[in-house]
Coordinates of all heavy atoms in Angstrom, one line a residue:
A26 N 7.8 -26.1 -3.1 CA 8.9 -25.2 -2.8 C 9.5 -24.5 -4.0 O 9.9 -23.3 -3.9 CB 10.1 -26.1 -2.2
L29 N 5.5 -22.9 -6.6 CA 4.8 -21.7 -6.2 C 5.6 -20.4 -6.3 O 5.0 -19.4 -6.8 CB 4.3 -21.9 -4.8 CG 3.1 -22.9 -4.6 CD1 2.7 -23.1 -3.2 CD2 1.9 -22.5 -5.5
R63 N -1.8 2.1 -11.5 CA -1.9 0.7 -11.4 C -1.7 0.3 -9.9 O -0.9 1.0 -9.3 CB -0.8 0.0 -12.3 CG -1.1 0.3 -13.8 CD -0.1 -0.4 -14.7 NE -0.1 -1.8 -14.7 CZ -1.0 -2.6 -15.2 NH1 -2.0 -2.1 -15.9 NH2 -0.8 -3.9 -15.2
L79 N -1.2 0.8 -2.6 CA -0.1 1.4 -3.3 C -0.4 1.5 -4.8 O -0.6 0.5 -5.4 CB 1.2 0.6 -3.1 CG 2.4 1.1 -3.9 CD1 2.8 2.5 -3.6 CD2 3.6 0.2 -3.7
T103 N 3.4 14.6 13.1 CA 4.7 14.5 13.8 C 5.1 13.0 13.6 O 6.3 12.8 13.3 CB 4.6 14.9 15.3 OG1 4.2 16.3 15.3 CG2 5.9 14.7 16.0
Y137 N 9.1 16.3 1.2 CA 10.4 15.7 1.7 C 11.3 15.4 0.5 O 10.8 15.3 -0.6 CB 10.1 14.5 2.6 CG 9.5 13.3 1.9 CD1 10.3 12.3 1.5 CD2 8.1 13.2 1.8 CE1 9.7 11.2 0.9 CE2 7.6 12.1 1.2 CZ 8.4 11.1 0.7 OH 7.8 10.0 0.1
D166 N 9.9 12.6 -12.9 CA 8.7 11.7 -13.0 C 7.6 12.3 -12.1 O 6.5 12.4 -12.4 CB 9.1 10.3 -12.5 CG 10.0 9.6 -13.4 OD1 9.9 9.8 -14.6 OD2 10.8 8.8 -12.9
G168 N 7.2 15.4 -11.1 CA 6.6 16.6 -11.6 C 5.5 16.4 -12.7 O 4.6 17.2 -12.8
A176 N -5.1 15.8 -7.3 CA -6.5 15.7 -7.6 C -7.1 14.4 -7.0 O -8.2 14.5 -6.4 CB -6.8 15.7 -9.1
R182 N -12.2 10.2 0.9 CA -13.5 10.4 1.6 C -13.6 9.4 2.7 O -13.2 8.3 2.6 CB -14.6 10.2 0.6 CG -16.0 10.5 1.2 CD -17.1 10.3 0.2 NE -17.0 9.0 -0.3 CZ -17.5 8.6 -1.5 NH1 -18.0 9.4 -2.3 NH2 -17.4 7.3 -1.8

Side-chain angles (χ1 to χ4, degrees):
L29 288 179
R63 298 185 57 82
L79 174 59
T103 299
Y137 66 94
D166 296 325
R182 186 178 58 207

